[in-house]
Amino acid sequence: MSGPRRDTRGIVDPAGLLTRVRFRRHEPAPALRPYLEHYWFIDWDLPAPWRSRVVPHPSVNLVFQRYGTGDAAARGDFAEVAGVGTGLDVRTLEGTGRVCGVQFRPGAFRPFAPGHPVSDWTGRNVPARQVFRAPDPARPHPSDVLGPDDDPARVAALDAFLLALGPRPDPRADHATALAALVRADRSVRRVDRLARTGGMSVRSLQRLFAAYVGVGPKWVVLRHRLHEALERAGRDSAEVDWARLAAELGYSDQPHLVRDFTATLGVPPTALAP
């Protein structure tokens, strides 16, 4: 494992967000690293509301949340499992708040909640105690994670909670995780049939594996990573991007196909994100 990612892939206008919130990532305990991408922490104290927009990764997240103002503040500290988000995630941050998140590797969530296919959680936010069937799913209380002001104490609380769940070894989860990682790392993997051959299975078997362990189909994962790459280019140098060339590099049939996918997900064409 190479440590937490340093990129801002998936975040629309990362510069705008990062000037308004404290955002950082941390590694989990070694025993958890095969299952988790990283922990991600955000704290904010804003004089005016800010709307964040994120194109989600094909990952399940466990999210501990605290809001100091607005309707959400009345809930107190709470924890949710956020299944893979299929559309643009738009949230308005205002006043004060704190979020401590756990991003699971695509394919690696089910060992923590083996009773359900991961597709059961796709597009949903579900209270954590309804998902995890540990002896005492209420521990730690969300405040145990959100309360400390120092990051190491929050990391330790998350480590303790996840290790207590006792993730069960599952070779099919390992297989799904490896194939999903290949899609992200190798941009030449553009077709589901090629991925199926790499995995030593039929296309239908691959689709069933991804539904059970990733939560979305392999084609969806391929397309989502394409959009992340397009979003990264658009945010960095939109005026200079050769969109026709980029569409070809990402495996689209033509530039309009890329623009349609991008616009359908974000609600605006790539050029609208120019600095």
Side-chain angles (χ1 to χ4, degrees):
M1 307 300 172
S2 57
R5 296 196 332 268
R6 301 293 182 184
D7 63 79
T8 56
R9 186 151 298 197
I11 301 175
V12 179
D13 187 13
L17 178 68
L18 297 179
T19 57
R20 290 169 172 83
V21 307
R22 290 183 57 234
F23 175 80
R24 56 266 189 223
R25 298 185 178 108
H26 295 285
E27 275 195 310
L32 294 168
R33 291 173 194 170
Y35 304 101
L36 307 185
E37 294 274 10
H38 50 251
Y39 298 140
W40 53 274
F41 297 166
I42 301 178
D43 295 87
W44 66 89
D45 185 354
L46 297 173
W50 170 258
R51 190 178 67 163
S52 73
R53 294 178 294 164
V54 176
V55 180
H57 290 259
S59 299
V60 176
N61 284 263
L62 168 62
V63 190
F64 292 80
Q65 302 174 65
R66 169 184 290 176
Y67 298 93
T69 55
D71 294 340
R75 296 184 62 178
D77 295 348
F78 64 100
E80 292 181 323
V81 168
V84 176
T86 56
L88 184 66
D89 185 357
V90 180
R91 296 175 186 269
T92 299
L93 307 179
E94 58 184 326
T96 61
R98 172 173 294 175
V99 174
C100 296
V102 179
Q103 184 171 324
F104 292 83
R105 296 185 185 280
F109 176 74
R110 190 165 175 179
F112 292 85
H116 293 263
V118 178
S119 57
D120 279 3
W121 316 120
T122 298
R124 300 174 61 200
N125 286 53
V126 184
R129 66 175 59 204
Q130 295 181 19
V131 177
F132 301 118
R133 300 305 180 188
D136 186 354
R139 294 187 179 277
H141 188 276
S143 298
D144 296 338
V145 174
L146 295 161
D149 286 328
D150 61 297
D151 285 7
R154 299 188 210 176
V155 168
L158 289 170
D159 283 345
F161 174 63
L162 292 166
L163 289 169
L165 291 174
R168 305 176 187 179
D170 185 337
R172 284 174 56 77
D174 295 341
H175 197 191
T177 300
L179 291 174
L182 178 64
V183 173
R184 182 170 68 181
D186 186 350
R187 234 172 41 188
S188 69
V189 179
R190 301 170 179 169
R191 295 180 58 87
V192 173
D193 54 356
R194 176 183 169 183
L195 185 63
R197 287 194 301 272
T198 301
M201 60 180 65
S202 68
V203 168
R204 182 61 186 138
S205 294
L206 178 66
Q207 291 168 337
R208 287 196 295 265
L209 178 72
F210 268 55
Y213 286 90
V214 181
V216 288
K219 182 178 180 180
W220 190 97
V221 174
V222 170
L223 291 174
R224 181 48 51 98
H225 286 306
R226 287 179 179 178
L227 289 181
H228 278 163
E229 178 68 19
L231 175 62
E232 193 87 346
R233 300 278 191 96
R236 186 170 62 239
D237 50 7
S238 177
E240 303 299 327
V241 173
D242 182 337
W243 291 103
R245 179 177 179 181
L246 178 59
E249 289 177 2
L250 296 178
Y252 283 95
S253 58
D254 52 30
Q255 179 179 344
H257 189 185
L258 165 60
V259 172
R260 282 196 300 271
D261 271 1
F262 195 103
T263 305
T265 300
L266 274 73
V268 294
T271 53
L273 299 180

